[in-house]
């Protein structure tokens, strides 16, 4: 458009030899190592999923989900019900304080309490889950006299989920831009309104991810339940204390070492269900975070991919 | 309230005897909307504003110019106490709104009376309607019908209504950058502020959107006092009645806009305006 065309010397387009070769070698090496790492991880995961799903599907039949466990045979209805009750109970107990603590850490703390809470949350993540089971046994099952029960199991799961919910909530809120808060403050909004009306909705995808992650962890836990929920071959009658309850991970843990084919089949089926639950929750989480799923329109400050 | 007359424009250099005389004379005039005296401001131990005194005339446009980091935005934030949302800030001095110290007024009320528009448009993750209605709802102003009416009126005032009237319940993020900025202006106007503070509202916009917003500001000045921070000196010259020049946290000169641009009293002002630094 009126400007003289710029001549590009041909030498500028040719790759530089020597250093160019070295760079390409490093490039190949990098890609090679990445592919190797991917194959290692990918094959391990595929192997687990294939084994669990093939054996699980072979062991599945309609009676597995319609009958309760009888000895080392029967179905898994009681365990599926128990797992759902315990996991939901754990989330219902952990979510309110976890969300509240996360909101407090991100929005309100100005003093020295925050580092302490963060440190405690990190310690809680690191406590072996069997120690939490043992703690639950000593305090709730024995001292409080709840016996093996939904209440004790849910509380144990809640203790495990709490730090995850707390820290992911804090992280999600910290990503909300300051400009949004200022806009609300400038209209005369109070701290509470800014937090609950503006920041929490904007951070909702991240917060939900934390809660779903905690749910997945709850579904997969075994050790804390062994000492708190016990085991039962019957359906839950709705009592929160003094009634042990079945759950899927117990079936895997206990039945795989039994010398009966029927017990093995139940263990495989239970492993199938646990994996399926966790997989479904993970996919749900991905969908929540997926930019195509519509949630992303709420977080426009994260650049859309073209 | 009448217009600012020649007699109560501050003509002296801040700190000079002339300035103090003019300033005191000015404070007594009812045509002043905001009066700032001896303002010092600190971020932690670092002082960023030094002894700033400034009068802002009612229903006029006051522009604040100066190089980056000279304290213009910080100064603007002290006018609606928004600095209080940042931890570790400290303010000394006095800001009077209609003769009342804003620190003695309820902070929510101050911010409702003194609205603000930011450099980057920052609509809430809500619909266009909900964005404009937000201030009304949190301040409990009006029922459902009235809110509808005020939202429409505010979008009209911000010259956005024609462009959004058919999809007012769509996400605010579906709008273009210039439209989002006008939405933020509509949101600020909805609560009917007496003063509107604008912090470089056009710096991220193209010339067409900028021109729209400048027209809008000149229309608004008939009902509302406007204080605008800008890097764009032509913009200040185009829209402002009064202009203040900030440098390194000090107000160097404050006067009628044409005097600042045509016949500045201080060499620093002249150097900045003629582009010798900054």
């Amino acid at each position: 458009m009126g400007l003289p065309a710029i001549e590009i010397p041909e030498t500028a387009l040719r790759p530089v030899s020597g250093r160019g070769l070295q760079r390409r070698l490093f490039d190949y090496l990098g890609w090679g190592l990445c592919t190797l790492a991917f194959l290692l991880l990918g094959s391990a995961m595929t192997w687990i999923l294939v084994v669990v799903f093939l054996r699980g599907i072979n062991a599945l039949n309609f009676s597995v989900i319609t009958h309760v466990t009888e000895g080392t045979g029967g179905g898994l209805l009681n365990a599926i019900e128990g797992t759902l009750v315990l996991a939901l109970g754990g989330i219902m107990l952990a979510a309110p304080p976890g969300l509240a603590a996360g909101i407090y850490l991100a929005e309100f703390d100005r003093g020295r309490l925050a580092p302490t809470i963060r440190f405690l949350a990190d310690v809680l993540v690191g406590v072996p889950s069997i120690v939490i089971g043992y703690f639950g046994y000593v305090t709730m099952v024995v001292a409080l006299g709840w016996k093996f029960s939904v209440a004790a199991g849910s509380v144990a799961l809640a203790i495990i989920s709490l730090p995850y919910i707390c820290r992911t909530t804090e992280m999600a809120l910290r990503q909300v831009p300051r400009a949004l808060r200022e806009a609300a403050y400038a209209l005369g909004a109070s701290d509470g309104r800014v937090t609950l009306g503006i920041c929490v909705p904007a951070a909702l995808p991240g917060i939900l991810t934390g809660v779903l992650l905690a749910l997945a962890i709850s579904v997969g836990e075994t050790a804390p339940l062994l000492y708190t929920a016990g085991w039962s071959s019957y359906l839950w009658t709705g009592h929160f204390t003094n009634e042990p309850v079945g759950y899927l991970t117990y079936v895997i843990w206990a039945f795989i070492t039994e010398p009966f084919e029927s017990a093995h089949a139940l263990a495989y089926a239970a492993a199938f269900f646990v994996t399926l639950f966790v997989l479904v929750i993970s996919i749900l989480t991905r969908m929540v975070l997926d930019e195509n799923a519509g949630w992303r329109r709420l977080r426009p400050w994260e650049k859309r991919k073209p | 309230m009448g217009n600012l007359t020649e007699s109560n424009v501050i003509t002296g250099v801040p700190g000079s005897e002339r300035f103090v005389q003019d300033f005191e004379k000015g404070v007594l005039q009812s045509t002043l909307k905001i009066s700032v005296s001896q303002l010092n401001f600190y971020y932690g131990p670092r002082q960023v504003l030094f002894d700033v005194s400034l009068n802002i005339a009612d229903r006029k446009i006051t522009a604040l110019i100066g190089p980056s980091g000279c304290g213009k935005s910080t100064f603007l934030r002290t006018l609606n106490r928004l600095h209080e949302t940042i931890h570790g800030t400290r303010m000394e001095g006095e800001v009077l709104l209609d003769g009342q110290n804003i620190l003695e007024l309820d902070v929510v009320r101050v911010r409702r009376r003194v609205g603000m528009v930011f450099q980057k448009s920052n609509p809430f993750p809500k619909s266009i309607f909900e964005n404009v209605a937000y201030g009304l709802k949190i301040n409990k102003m009006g029922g459902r019908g009235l809110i509808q009416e005020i939202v429409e009126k505010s979008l009209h005032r911000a010259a956005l209504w024609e462009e959004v009237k058919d999809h007012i319940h769509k996400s605010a993020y579906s709008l273009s950058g210039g439209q989002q900025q006008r939405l933020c202006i509509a949101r600020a106007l909805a609560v009917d502020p007496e003063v509107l503070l604008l912090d470089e509202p056009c710096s991220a916009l193209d010339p067409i959107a900028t021109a729209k917003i400048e027209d809008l500001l000149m229309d608004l000045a008939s009902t509302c006092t406007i204080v605008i921070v800008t890097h764009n000196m032509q913009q200040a010259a185009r829209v402002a009645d009064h202009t203040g020049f900030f440098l390194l946290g000090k107000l160097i000169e404050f006067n009628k806009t044409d005097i600042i641009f045509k016949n500045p009293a201080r060499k620093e002002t002249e150097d900045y305006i003629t582009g010798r630094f900054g």
Side-chain angles (χ1 to χ4, degrees):
Chain A
M1 294 200 294
L3 290 172
I6 299 167
E7 291 269 343
I8 300 168
E10 206 193 320
T11 48
L13 300 173
R14 242 181 272 145
V16 187
S17 55
R19 289 206 57 98
L21 186 71
Q22 201 185 344
R23 265 188 218 143
R24 244 178 299 163
L25 276 177
F26 267 108
D27 188 38
Y28 288 138
L29 190 68
W31 275 108
L33 287 174
C34 285
T35 313
L36 197 70
F38 170 76
L39 286 177
L40 257 165
L41 263 175
S43 56
M45 201 187 122
T46 317
W47 190 12
I48 292 172
L49 286 181
V50 166
V51 168
V52 168
F53 276 82
L54 281 184
R55 298 206 169 190
I57 285 167
N58 282 332
L60 274 187
N61 54 56
F62 200 59
S63 71
V64 169
I65 53 170
T66 53
H67 287 72
V68 296
T69 316
E70 289 152 22
T72 56
L76 290 170
L77 184 60
N78 53 325
I80 293 171
E81 185 202 35
T83 289
L84 293 179
V85 168
L86 288 167
L88 288 178
I91 283 295
M92 278 158 65
L93 289 173
L99 295 176
I103 290 170
Y104 174 80
L105 286 181
E107 303 287 327
F108 292 104
D109 190 83
R110 299 246 193 269
R112 268 168 289 177
L113 202 52
T116 316
I117 296 175
R118 274 186 214 112
F119 174 72
L120 290 177
D122 290 346
V123 168
L124 202 51
V125 170
V127 172
S129 57
I130 193 143
V131 173
I132 290 172
Y134 144 84
F135 165 80
Y137 180 76
V138 172
T139 54
M140 292 178 287
V141 176
V142 178
L144 289 174
W146 291 358
K147 306 270 174 54
F148 288 138
S149 59
V150 167
S154 296
V155 171
L157 289 181
I159 294 172
I160 286 172
S161 327
L162 192 64
Y164 290 98
I165 297 179
C166 170
R167 293 310 299 275
T168 47
T169 302
E170 184 194 354
M171 295 301 162
L173 283 169
R174 281 193 186 283
Q175 283 176 9
V176 175
R178 204 183 142 65
L180 273 189
R181 297 161 209 265
E182 286 192 331
Y185 279 124
L187 288 166
S190 60
D191 283 340
R193 275 191 188 282
V194 172
T195 301
L196 295 178
I198 300 296
C199 296
V200 169
L204 204 58
I207 294 173
L208 258 163
T209 307
V211 174
L212 288 174
L213 177 70
L215 192 65
I217 290 168
S218 299
V219 169
E221 277 295 346
T222 324
L225 294 177
L226 293 175
Y227 302 101
T228 51
W231 165 255
S232 161
S233 297
Y234 304 102
L235 284 176
W236 184 49
T237 59
H239 294 99
F240 286 103
T241 57
N242 294 306
E243 185 194 346
V245 65
Y247 44 94
L248 287 168
T249 46
Y250 177 90
V251 179
I252 308 172
W253 176 72
F255 286 18
I256 200 72
T257 49
E258 293 286 334
F260 309 108
E261 206 46 50
S262 63
H264 292 174
L266 277 187
Y268 296 146
F272 172 78
F273 281 124
V274 168
T275 314
L276 192 69
F277 283 157
V278 174
L279 211 60
V280 166
I281 294 169
S282 300
I283 291 169
L284 269 179
T285 313
R286 299 294 322 174
M287 276 171 63
V288 165
L289 289 177
D290 188 355
E291 48 196 325
N292 298 323
W295 284 90
R296 184 58 65 108
R297 77 196 149 78
L298 297 174
R299 305 196 300 164
W301 55 89
E302 287 173 20
K303 282 256 163 64
R304 263 168 214 277
K305 279 182 199 141
Chain B
M1 290 185 204
N3 287 338
L4 202 70
T5 57
E6 199 63 50
S7 66
N8 54 30
V9 168
I10 291 168
T11 50
V13 168
S16 72
E17 201 176 315
R18 176 80 181 279
F19 180 89
V20 175
Q21 282 170 2
D22 286 351
F23 180 79
E24 283 171 353
K25 198 166 64 189
V27 170
L28 298 173
Q29 298 286 333
S30 60
T31 52
L32 292 177
K33 189 69 190 173
I34 295 179
S35 164
V36 180
S37 56
Q38 280 143 22
L39 185 77
N40 288 298
F41 194 86
Y42 307 82
Y43 284 116
R46 195 164 60 90
Q47 187 168 3
V48 292
L49 288 177
F50 301 84
D51 200 26
V52 174
S53 297
L54 179 66
N55 285 335
I56 291 162
D58 188 38
R59 281 176 259 183
K60 293 281 173 190
I61 300 181
T62 301
L64 305 175
I65 60 170
S68 297
C70 66
K72 308 178 298 282
S73 297
T74 303
F75 175 76
L76 203 65
R77 275 151 197 263
T78 60
L79 301 184
N80 69 345
R81 292 177 60 181
L82 198 61
H83 68 275
E84 288 173 12
T85 64
I86 302 169
H87 189 51
T89 57
R90 191 159 57 85
M91 179 185 127
E92 287 166 3
E94 213 175 37
V95 178
L96 302 178
L97 176 64
D98 283 340
Q100 282 178 299
N101 189 336
I102 61 166
L103 293 179
E104 286 160 13
L105 296 169
D106 175 34
V107 64
V108 167
R109 205 155 153 65
V110 169
R111 291 188 188 142
R112 198 183 74 54
R113 291 173 64 188
V114 184
M116 189 156 185
V117 174
F118 298 83
Q119 178 171 10
K120 270 181 73 186
S121 59
N122 50 2
F124 300 130
K126 296 170 184 280
S127 71
I128 295 166
F129 179 87
E130 287 295 331
N131 263 278
V132 184
Y134 183 79
L136 300 169
K137 286 184 176 169
I138 62 164
N139 288 302
K140 301 199 174 61
M141 293 162 77
R144 210 163 163 200
L146 190 60
I147 286 179
Q148 285 267 353
E149 196 180 304
I150 297 176
V151 167
E152 189 179 330
K153 200 181 95 192
S154 306
L155 287 167
H156 268 299
R157 284 177 82 190
L160 189 62
W161 174 253
E162 287 303 319
E163 290 159 62
V164 302
K165 63 182 175 190
D166 296 326
H167 43 93
I168 197 161
H169 294 291
K170 267 199 187 167
S171 165
Y173 296 125
S174 63
L175 301 175
S176 73
Q179 289 174 324
Q180 286 191 15
Q181 192 63 301
R182 276 179 284 149
L183 177 67
C184 292
I185 294 177
R187 180 176 66 187
L189 290 176
V191 294
D192 200 20
E194 298 157 31
V195 182
L196 191 61
L197 310 174
L198 299 108
D199 188 359
E200 296 180 43
C202 302
S203 65
L205 301 182
D206 64 49
I208 295 169
T210 301
K212 279 190 180 169
I213 286 179
E214 285 179 11
D215 286 346
L216 169 65
L217 292 183
M218 289 191 272
D219 286 347
L220 287 175
S222 60
T223 52
C224 183
T225 303
I226 291 173
V227 186
I228 179 170
V229 162
T230 179
H231 266 126
N232 181 335
M233 279 180 284
Q234 283 75 34
Q235 184 168 57
R238 277 194 300 265
V239 301
D241 299 289
H242 302 108
T243 297
F245 172 57
F246 277 79
L247 184 64
L248 299 172
K250 294 186 176 111
L251 178 64
I252 301 296
E253 191 169 351
F254 181 66
N255 214 321
K256 288 189 147 187
T257 298
D258 52 347
I259 296 178
I260 288 279
F261 281 95
K262 290 187 186 131
N263 190 18
R266 294 280 297 254
K267 189 169 181 317
E268 295 96 318
T269 315
E270 192 183 340
D271 285 350
Y272 182 70
I273 284 163
T274 52
R276 241 166 267 166
F277 73 89

